Amino acid sequence: VIGISPCMSTETSQVEYHIIDGSHPEMKAIYFNQENINWCCGNGIPFTKITHGFVFVPGMKRVREM
């Protein structure tokens, strides 16, 4: 299970998506792209579309912390 988190870029003011994966050696979110998905899940899984998922919506206090 990995998390996909939207966040606002401070540089471009655009919404970007980041992967949250507890196995990252620096325990930080990484940019959502095919290379990073392959790192998290392996190269053998084709990610052309996502069929299942769940949403976690943190409260305002937690959003400020993140």
Side-chain angles (χ1 to χ4, degrees):
V1 174
I2 62 170
I4 310 279
S5 175
C7 64
M8 185 71 70
S9 169
T10 56
E11 297 170 359
T12 64
S13 297
Q14 299 290 319
V15 174
E16 296 179 347
Y17 294 89
H18 291 87
I19 300 169
I20 301 169
D21 183 0
S23 66
H24 190 277
E26 296 178 20
M27 296 298 290
K28 66 177 187 177
I30 54 178
Y31 191 73
F32 181 76
N33 61 22
Q34 188 66 52
E35 180 182 352
N36 289 336
I37 284 288
N38 290 344
W39 180 83
C40 291
C41 303
N43 291 326
I45 303 171
F47 280 95
T48 55
K49 68 178 182 176
I50 297 171
T51 58
H52 295 82
F54 66 92
V55 175
F56 168 72
V57 182
M60 189 57 73
K61 180 180 177 183
R62 183 66 179 137
V63 169
R64 287 190 195 112
E65 290 172 3
M66 291 192 284

